[in-house]
């Protein structure tokens, strides 16, 4: 084999089951999951690395971790079959609020049931059954992708010999607060209409505001200060003289927010953000029992400048895993990018990811 | 005199001038300022302590610093005449968006010109002229009250022998970002109507959301975690099962936001929040010249857990004052309350305030 190989296989697929699938807020029927494969599934079907995506991500891992996937890279497509699955509730091909509700023959909209991370993972396990993959090589993810990875290790210990969770822990109260306000922004936009908005007239202002707030929580104060400081917005705005005129960081947030409206569904945002908030393993004793089920090697990574999922919270969760008898190692990713460090600092993440997949 | 004296004098007053008063975004005419006095103005009129209020405060200092004002307390009404002045643009008696615009004979609403902290302070100086107070004993304030105190020391050095600014510095990019989103929340509420909403139908949802976000920035993650953790909201809400059900911190923020709508005007919020954002002394060389004008003793206080006005920023500003030749001392207030520490930890603030007034 040469030094660089094109992925031997790559494509998008859809897997649907008709059986009712219970989720936290009700049940879904049918359940469709969009997934993407990179690299070849080995004859023994033991080379699958499941890579779980974050809130607004998709099954297309190469879209958001481009430097980490490919031949010779940590997610080595010459060795692994790398699998991405769009989460339940999202809007990138899996069953979500835009899907038809068979009971009404209209899209679920605001009637889509709440889903927990554990539900997403149980659905993913069905997909693995369908692919006849008994045991993964590893499960990997950042942010709510990391939550999924941890939920995999707890719910399906025999299928997860290796688990890497980056910037993931049950949300603290400040993070719950910011997340709540993002949903309030969407739900108090009159165009949300209890979730029954037409596709061409979504609650754009509310979703853009939610995204702007999320961006603040994904970045660090240091990064914002270095990048924007107190500069007025480009195009000669005069923030001191006109109410509508902005500082540079305001222009950036508006731009990010407005761009997001074109690529994400507001109801999906509500559902997936809620799943993020409700991720935990229960009260201390419940959690201890859950974490004690872990059989594989867990690696956790806290991101140094992350104030949404503070590294201390990731480290503390790791300590609780060890106290419960699990094998778990904590590393800190040096990054000034805040929570987004797992996307922005791929070069620093690469050796940690490679080591976790050994 | 006995150990405890009732304030010898206390009351609310209004001072109006007819002359046009230029502000950053235009001019105001007339200018009215509501003020409150506690304690007696001495015959030499040299015992006035001006206490500047924060974003949603009022001239009634005793309403928001109750433990710090009164006979024998740091703001000793047996010794000082303590003066509070409602800032321009606010809604507690001074000229603001609810005031009549003489050009249209209707309330200013969305046409109220932007105001900078320096404008507020120049208006306050006119009020002192009217009261025939040439020199203050001191000027004191927290948050944008601290910005006013600093602006006083720079603009009117001869009138300010002592200045205490708590949790105040030019906002960094993260704070500008959060502040911007608060204004977006108000301005994208359709009920804002470009600021021309009727008094009985304000943009309540937008203002409540803005306040909720502000509350996050005023508190610390530690405080939220201790107070709310991951508990569901009272009244048996089930956040994992229903989209509308909340964690405790969400219920708290909604409550704070909704309560705020009844006591504050949305257009005033836009104007005063904008004044906060645009507070600075210009580019480094401009700032050096401005800070070099300071003649009195400046005391600055950073609040340990403040992430809106990080203590490092207050400390750095103090260092720049000293580098510019000003007498300035920095102290840190130990508090877990975040920015609100200057309101919540009055007992710890008291000795620092008393010392600054000596």
């Amino acid at each position: 084999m040469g030094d660089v190989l094109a992925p031997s296989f790559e494509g998008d697929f859809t897997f649907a089951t008709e059986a009712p699938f219970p989720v936290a807020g009700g049940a879904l029927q049918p359940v469709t999951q969009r997934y993407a494969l990179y690299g070849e599934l080995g004859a023994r079907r033991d080379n699958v690395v499941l890579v779980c995506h974050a809130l607004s991500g998709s099954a297309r891992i190469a879209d958001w971790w481009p430097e980490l996937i490919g031949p010779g890279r940590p997610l080595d497509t010459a060795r692994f079959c790398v699998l991405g699955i769009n989460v339940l509730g999202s809007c990138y091909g899996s069953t979500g609020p835009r899907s038809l509700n068979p009971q009404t023959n209209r899209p679920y909209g605001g009637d889509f049931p709440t889903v927990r991370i554990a539900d997403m993972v149980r659905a993913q396990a069905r997909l693995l059954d369908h692919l006849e993959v008994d045991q993964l090589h590893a499960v990997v993810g950042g942010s709510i992708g990391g939550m999924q990875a941890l939920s995999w290790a707890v719910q399906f210990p025999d299928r997860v010999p290796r688990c890497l969770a980056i910037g993931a822990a049950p949300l603290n109260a400040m993070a719950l607060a910011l997340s709540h306000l993002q949903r309030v922004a969407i739900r108090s936009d009159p165009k949300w209409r209890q979730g029954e908005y037409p596709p061409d007239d979504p609650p754009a202002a509310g979703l853009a505001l939610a995204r702007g707030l999320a961006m603040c929580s994904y970045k660090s104060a240091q990064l914002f200060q270095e990048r924007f400081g107190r500069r007025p917005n480009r195009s000669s705005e005069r923030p001191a003289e006109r109410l509508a005129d902005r500082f540079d960081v305001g222009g950036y947030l508006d731009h990010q927010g407005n761009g997001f409206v074109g690529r994400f569904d507001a109801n999906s945002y509500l559902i997936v953000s809620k799943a993020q908030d409700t991720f935990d393993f229960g009260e201390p004793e419940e959690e201890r029992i859950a974490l004690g089920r872990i059989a594989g090697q867990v690696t956790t990574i806290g991101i140094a400048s992350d104030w949404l999922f503070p590294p201390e919270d990731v480290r503390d969760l790791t300590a609780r895993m060890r106290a419960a008898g699990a094998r778990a190692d904590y590393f800190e990713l040096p990054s000034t990018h805040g929570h987004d460090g797992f996307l922005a600092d791929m070069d620093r993440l690469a050796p940690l990811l490679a080591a976790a997949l050994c």
Side-chain angles (χ1 to χ4, degrees), chain A residues 100-298:
Chain A
L100 273 195
N101 180 349
Q103 309 222 324
T104 63
N105 231 18
R106 291 187 306 130
Y108 282 101
D111 289 333
F112 196 83
T114 57
V115 171
R116 295 190 76 168
I117 297 289
D119 301 324
M120 295 171 174
V121 165
R122 281 190 303 108
Q124 291 166 5
R126 288 205 183 180
L127 171 55
L128 287 200
D129 295 343
H130 161 73
L131 296 175
E132 296 177 13
V133 172
D134 292 333
Q135 193 184 51
L136 293 163
H137 178 79
V139 59
V140 168
S143 193
I144 73 161
M147 292 176 169
Q148 292 162 60
L150 293 171
S151 183
W152 261 102
V154 164
Q155 290 194 88
F156 301 99
D158 297 341
R159 302 179 90 160
V160 180
R162 296 167 198 83
C163 167
L164 172 63
I166 308 159
L171 259 60
N172 67 19
M174 181 61 82
L176 289 176
L178 297 171
S179 199
H180 171 74
L181 294 176
Q182 291 166 42
R183 290 193 299 274
V184 169
I186 293 169
R187 299 174 80 242
S188 48
D189 184 334
K191 290 197 165 184
W192 182 60
R193 300 172 233 206
Q194 306 299 314
E196 308 304 314
Y197 50 87
D200 60 349
D201 192 24
L207 182 57
L209 177 53
R211 180 63 172 180
L213 180 50
M215 292 309 291
C216 292
S217 72
Y218 296 159
K219 308 291 184 184
S220 73
Q222 181 189 340
L223 183 83
F224 269 12
Q225 187 63 19
E226 289 168 2
R227 192 174 288 178
F228 305 111
R230 292 182 50 79
R231 276 198 311 278
N233 194 33
R234 299 114 205 244
S235 66
S236 312
E237 294 188 23
R238 293 171 299 174
E241 290 161 47
R242 285 171 35 88
L243 191 59
D245 281 14
R246 298 163 296 182
F247 286 95
D248 200 18
V249 71
Y252 165 79
L253 293 176
D254 291 350
H255 180 76
Q256 292 290 321
N258 294 331
F260 192 64
V261 171
R263 73 173 182 87
F264 212 79
D265 174 62
N267 284 326
S268 279
Y269 196 84
L270 296 174
I271 291 295
V272 183
S273 131
K274 190 77 167 180
Q276 169 186 269
D277 290 11
T278 60
F279 168 76
D280 62 29
F281 296 108
E283 297 297 313
E285 182 55 17
E286 274 178 284
E287 184 191 71
R288 198 189 58 75
I289 294 167
L291 298 178
R293 300 189 67 214
I294 296 173
Q297 166 68 45
V298 176

Side-chain angles (χ1 to χ4, degrees), chain A residues 43-80:
Chain A
R44 297 172 56 192
R45 295 174 183 264
D46 60 357
N47 70 329
V48 174
V49 175
L50 171 61
V51 181
C52 304
H53 69 76
L55 199 151
S56 64
S58 72
R60 300 293 306 222
I61 300 156
D63 288 353
W64 45 271
W65 260 358
E67 296 173 27
L68 296 178
I69 190 166
R73 290 177 167 159
L75 297 169
D76 188 344
T77 47
R79 177 180 169 207
F80 300 125

